[in-house]
């Protein structure tokens, strides 16, 4: 028998790398939520995504195909009839259901154990579903976001539920930024009463030079780095954002961009706080009316702990390889 054992240090979750497993199987920690157009966990048996067809407002749950991805061969099950006249529970393939019609995302299902799905009930804010627009050869499905339309999905759980001490957590995501010409609040939440209290990122902010900002608890520390065409603009990249007790780490496709000390060690959020993917919910949306992310996101995972370097590198290497996000 061959294998490897990683020693467990006090305060560090025990992990067992699994070379050939699905992504979430590689680290033995349940994420707060995990969204993707590929299957992430062996034990997960639910659908990947729920889609709305614009022509009749019918909705289907989309299963993973035999290769564990969302494709034209995926089986879809009708869960909302709309004006289609079809029978509830009717099945077909995604390619048949889609035809030449636009499809929009109403639910991005959590493949972790919590069932914290990303939901968008406002039709104008539902991300566009693209069947073949991600991966090294555009072979995989993705969600398309337009910032001025505020396309997003929202996890309706408080930040204190999603993060340890309301502050410690790790984001691992794949994203392609399409432009940086407007305000771009890509993820997280801002306090309804104080804009400076936020756990969020602007993956591409148009401040004269396309910058990525991260404010993980508040607006402090080294906040930004250039994220222009030489880094992430118009190309799929892997982003790791880790908030530790007294510091943060931000990486793009395995390259350190920010590593800075922070003073805030905990944060108490209002009970109605939520987490947006594609938009920062809270004051940045409502009070300031700022736009959301513009581009594509096929995968987004949030852990409620600050993953160790061995843990987040294991996950980010898998994401980089699968999605061709070098």
């Amino acid at each position: 028998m061959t294998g490897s054992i990683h020693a467990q240090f006090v305060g560090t979750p025990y992990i067992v790398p699994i070379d050939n497993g699905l992504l979430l199987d590689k680290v033995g920690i349940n994420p707060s939520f995990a969204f993707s157009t590929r299957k992430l966990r062996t034990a997960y048996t639910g659908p990947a995504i729920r889609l709305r067809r614009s022509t009749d407002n019918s909705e289907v749950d989309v299963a993973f195909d035999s290769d564990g991805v969302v494709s034209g061969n995926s089986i879809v099950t009708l869960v909302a009839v709309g004006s289609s006249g079809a029978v509830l529970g009717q099945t077909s393939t995604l390619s048949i259901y889609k035809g030449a019609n636009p499809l929009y995302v109403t639910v991005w299902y959590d493949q972790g154990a919590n069932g914290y799905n990303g939901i968008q009930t406002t039709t104008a804010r539902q991300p566009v579903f693209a069947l073949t627009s991600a991966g090294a050869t555009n072979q995989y499905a993705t969600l398309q976001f337009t910032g001025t339309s505020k396309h997003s999905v929202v996890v309706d759980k408080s930040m204190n539920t999603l993060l340890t001490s309301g502050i410690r957590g790790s984001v691992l995501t794949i994203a392609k930024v399409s432009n940086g010409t407007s305000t771009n609040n890509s993820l997280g939440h801002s306090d309804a009463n104080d804009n400076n209290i936020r756990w969020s990122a602007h993956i591409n902010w148009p401040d004269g030079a396309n910058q990525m900002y991260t404010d993980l608890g508040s607006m402090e520390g080294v906040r930004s780095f250039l994220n222009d065409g030489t880094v992430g603009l118009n190309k799929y990249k892997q982003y790791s954002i880790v908030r530790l007790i007294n510091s943060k780490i931000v990486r793009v496709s395995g390259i350190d961009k920010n590593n800075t000390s922070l003073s805030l060690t905990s944060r108490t959020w209002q009970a109605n706080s939520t987490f947006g993917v594609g938009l920062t919910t809270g004051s940045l949306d409502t009070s300031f009316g700022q736009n959301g992310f513009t581009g594509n996101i096929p995968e987004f995972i949030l852990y409620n702990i600050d993953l160790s370097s061995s843990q987040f590198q294991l996950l980010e290497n898998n994401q980089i390889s699968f999605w061709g996000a070098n």
Side-chain angles (χ1 to χ4, degrees), residues 14-18 22-31 303 307 310-312 314-315:
Y14 181 73
I15 64 169
V16 180
I18 303 172
L22 301 179
L23 180 65
L24 295 186
D25 297 338
K26 293 178 178 294
V27 176
I29 307 167
N30 184 49
Y303 283 91
L307 296 172
S310 62
Q311 292 168 331
F312 68 67
L314 184 69
L315 298 174

Side-chain angles (χ1 to χ4, degrees), residues 134-271:
T137 60
N138 293 329
Q139 71 271 44
Y140 298 126
T142 186
L143 279 65
Q144 294 181 342
F145 299 79
T146 300
T148 52
S149 296
K150 299 187 177 183
H151 291 155
S152 58
V153 295
V154 177
V155 178
D156 190 16
K157 296 293 177 182
S158 74
M159 296 293 284
N160 290 94
T161 298
L162 299 174
L163 303 171
T164 296
S165 300
I167 196 164
R168 292 169 55 198
S170 304
V171 168
L172 293 105
T173 187
I174 298 291
K176 182 176 79 171
V177 183
S178 294
N179 71 31
T181 60
S182 64
T183 56
N184 189 320
N185 297 284
S186 307
L187 60 95
H189 182 77
S190 59
D191 188 87
N193 297 318
D194 187 348
N195 174 55
N196 293 315
I197 300 174
R198 59 172 83 169
W199 208 99
S200 67
H202 318 292
I203 293 181
N204 195 276
W205 185 265
D207 55 359
N210 300 109
Q211 300 283 328
M212 177 170 176
Y213 285 87
T214 50
D215 301 309
L216 307 180
S218 63
M219 297 170 63
E220 60 177 329
V222 178
R223 300 177 59 214
S224 68
F225 61 87
L226 190 65
N227 195 25
D228 63 356
T230 64
V231 182
L233 189 64
N234 295 321
K235 60 191 77 172
Y236 279 100
K237 288 291 181 175
Q238 190 276 338
Y239 294 86
S240 296
I241 304 169
V242 182
R243 179 53 157 101
L244 298 89
I245 296 174
N246 293 305
S247 62
K248 70 177 177 182
I249 299 168
V250 183
R251 290 159 59 89
V252 179
S253 292
I255 305 299
D256 281 328
K257 293 296 181 179
N258 278 168
N259 193 329
T260 185
S261 297
L262 301 172
S263 59
L264 193 67
T265 59
S266 64
R267 174 67 72 193
T268 300
W269 299 91
Q270 296 181 25

Side-chain angles (χ1 to χ4, degrees), residues 261-289:
S261 297
L262 301 172
S263 59
L264 193 67
T265 59
S266 64
R267 174 67 72 193
T268 300
W269 299 91
Q270 296 181 25
N272 63 350
S273 60
T274 57
F275 194 104
V277 176
L279 182 76
T280 299
T281 58
S283 63
L284 292 180
D285 177 20
T286 55
S287 301
F288 286 81

Side-chain angles (χ1 to χ4, degrees), residues 123-134:
T123 56
R125 290 194 174 200
Q126 290 170 352
V128 179
F129 173 77
L131 187 58
T132 53
S133 294

Side-chain angles (χ1 to χ4, degrees), residues 31-81:
S32 287
F33 58 81
F35 308 145
S36 185
T37 61
R38 63 165 169 160
K39 189 171 182 178
L40 297 176
R41 185 167 67 99
T42 302
Y44 180 72
T45 58
I49 202 164
R50 179 173 292 188
L51 300 175
R52 178 181 63 86
R53 190 165 59 190
S54 60
T55 53
D56 57 16
N57 288 320
S58 64
E59 296 185 20
V60 293
D61 276 345
V62 183
F64 298 104
D65 69 10
S66 59
D67 293 322
V69 298
V70 173
S71 76
N73 294 322
S74 291
I75 299 300
V76 302
T77 303
L78 194 69
V79 295
V81 174

